[in-house]
Amino acid sequence: MPSQPGPNTGAPAITPGTAPQVDATVLICTYNRAQYLARTLDSLAAMPASPGFSWNVLVVDNNSSDETRRIVMSRAGGFPVPLRYLFEGRQGKSNALNTGMSAAQAKVIVFTDDDVDVGRDWIQATVRPLLDRSDIDYTGGPVRPIWGGPRPAWLDETGNLGGTIAVKDHGSRAFVFEDERKTPLGVNMAVRRSLIERIGGFRPDLGRNGKALLGQEQAEFFYRSRQAGGRGLYVPEMVLNHVVPASRLTRTYFLKWWYWKGVSHARVHEIHGRTELGIDTRRVPRVLGVPRFIFGSALRNALGWLGALIRRNPAARAEHWLSLVYYAGYCREIWRPTTLGRETVQNSGRPSSSESPALL
């Protein structure tokens, strides 16, 4: 079980592994999504054999009350590789991930979700670069949508809004993530366990727990990865398909997600003292306590929204408006009274479902 914090970051330490039992462990954390999980496990089981390396699957049940355990156990006997079930009662995906990483005795930990379909060669494409190359610490690949409802006209998943629904495809060219200032999506990435042991796991205070859509624990993880010299490879052949429920294809969901992204990024910038682009937030000029560049970016997006409105471009209009919602969340976190606990923050200041949805 993770217990001690990682060095200078507040990140939970991951229990050092013993001799690796397999080359790779596919880690799936799940909460009350047994029907989706069954489809994902069947997809993994359908992949052909992987000559040259060994792998297994670990499902961490994050306090589910449905048939999650039965679904896993019903498939374990006939699964082509070892399939293990583990229960984590502390609510929050970061808690489940940290428990799973500590339990996975493998050279590489492969992260995915409980609602995906993987390609036939997915595990090979995911793991092989990390076994063959010593200069790469993690891999990531394309995530394509399985639409659970009609895609809104204002949603262009190839732009900046794709991350909202965990969909992103960077194309057919391999590249190093650090060279392009990008990071993989958590639904489709693999990381050396040795890197995780060096930098620690995922911070639960930045991860989703309950109704608040915090979710930048992965972004903060890669802050630490870059500081430790970690390098990742985008692998175009590492393709999977991810379910996008109809409930996430709404203005309300996008408004909340981008608001809480702003809250989360403000926390990450406070922790590390710099943005993902390397701007030192401890030294930049501030207005009302907020870094001045936030106001400049907000103004540019306000003008961009107006231009998109004039051009009748719904996708651009949505992207600019949601950026403004992001800045609102960012400022709200900075202006939060220091006497308030995180519990209070997570239950106050949310944009309601009726907060200017038509502006998208």
Side-chain angles (χ1 to χ4, degrees):
M1 296 289 288
S3 56
Q4 300 300 316
N8 303 320
T9 65
I14 299 303
T15 304
T18 57
Q21 299 173 0
V22 290
D23 291 311
T25 289
V26 177
L27 176 58
I28 302 171
C29 298
T30 187
Y31 172 65
N32 282 344
R33 289 160 65 86
Q35 183 176 2
Y36 285 118
L37 177 63
R39 176 176 172 174
T40 295
L41 292 176
D42 292 344
S43 173
L44 290 168
M47 287 189 297
S50 304
F53 70 89
S54 59
W55 61 285
N56 60 19
V57 177
L58 173 60
V59 177
V60 180
D61 179 352
N62 193 197
N63 210 26
S64 297
S65 58
D66 64 1
E67 295 186 325
T68 291
R69 187 179 189 280
R70 185 191 67 78
I71 289 294
V72 178
M73 301 311 295
S74 69
R75 284 161 170 75
F79 213 74
V81 298
L83 172 60
R84 179 183 175 192
Y85 171 91
L86 186 63
F87 184 84
E88 171 53 70
R90 294 173 300 161
Q91 206 68 59
K93 187 174 181 179
S94 293
N95 289 323
L97 286 168
N98 291 334
T99 295
M101 289 188 291
S102 287
Q105 300 303 317
K107 296 177 184 177
V108 175
I109 300 178
V110 182
F111 298 86
T112 192
D113 283 356
D114 56 10
D115 55 355
V116 304
D117 284 339
V118 301
R120 286 181 55 80
D121 299 322
W122 176 74
I123 193 69
Q124 284 277 1
T126 301
V127 177
R128 181 54 62 191
L130 294 167
L131 300 179
D132 292 347
R133 296 177 57 169
S134 60
D135 61 326
I136 294 298
D137 298 288
Y138 65 91
T139 57
V143 181
R144 296 170 183 167
I146 302 173
W147 298 114
R151 180 175 64 85
W154 48 264
L155 173 56
D156 178 5
E157 73 272 16
T158 64
N160 290 333
L161 301 188
T164 314
I165 50 176
V167 169
K168 187 69 70 173
D169 189 337
H170 293 299
S172 59
R173 178 183 64 87
F175 60 83
V176 173
F177 281 106
E178 284 68 24
D179 293 344
E180 303 284 338
R181 294 184 179 270
K182 299 182 186 299
T183 57
L185 290 175
V187 66
N188 192 20
M189 69 180 192
V191 185
R192 292 188 191 277
R193 197 181 201 282
S194 58
L195 175 64
I196 295 169
E197 291 179 8
R198 274 197 293 144
I199 69 174
F202 297 102
R203 290 182 56 133
D205 59 329
L206 295 173
R208 186 171 300 184
N209 188 351
K211 295 182 179 180
L213 295 182
L214 288 167
Q216 295 301 307
E217 72 273 32
Q218 180 190 322
E220 193 276 333
F221 176 89
F222 283 111
Y223 269 73
R224 287 180 275 125
S225 171
R226 289 192 295 270
Q227 290 170 357
R231 289 171 64 79
L233 182 68
Y234 174 74
V235 182
E237 297 79 17
M238 183 178 160
V239 179
L240 60 70
N241 301 305
H242 185 212
V243 173
V244 183
S247 61
R248 297 187 180 182
L249 295 172
T250 66
R251 292 183 173 96
T252 298
Y253 180 82
F254 273 71
L255 283 165
K256 289 182 177 180
W257 193 95
W258 278 81
Y259 177 85
W260 284 105
K261 181 179 181 180
V263 171
S264 303
H265 271 188
R267 293 186 188 181
V268 173
H269 296 171
E270 178 184 358
I271 292 166
H272 290 279
R274 63 183 59 249
T275 72
E276 56 275 18
L277 297 178
I279 299 173
D280 188 339
T281 56
R282 295 191 176 107
R283 296 179 180 272
V284 296
R286 290 179 175 255
V287 177
L288 299 176
V290 177
R292 190 173 63 188
F293 66 81
I294 292 292
F295 293 103
S297 297
L299 177 60
R300 286 191 291 275
N301 276 281
L303 294 174
W305 176 86
L306 182 60
L309 180 65
I310 294 171
R311 297 192 307 273
R312 297 184 180 181
N313 185 333
R317 194 168 76 232
E319 189 164 325
H320 287 299
W321 178 248
L322 291 168
S323 294
L324 292 172
V325 173
Y326 165 91
Y327 296 127
Y330 194 102
C331 292
R332 173 63 183 86
E333 174 64 11
I334 289 178
W335 292 332
R336 176 184 58 85
T338 57
T339 55
L340 291 181
R342 297 297 188 190
E343 179 81 16
T344 304
V345 174
Q346 290 180 1
N347 290 283
S348 66
R350 295 182 192 140
S352 69
S353 60
S354 61
E355 186 170 345
S356 303
L359 293 175
L360 271 65

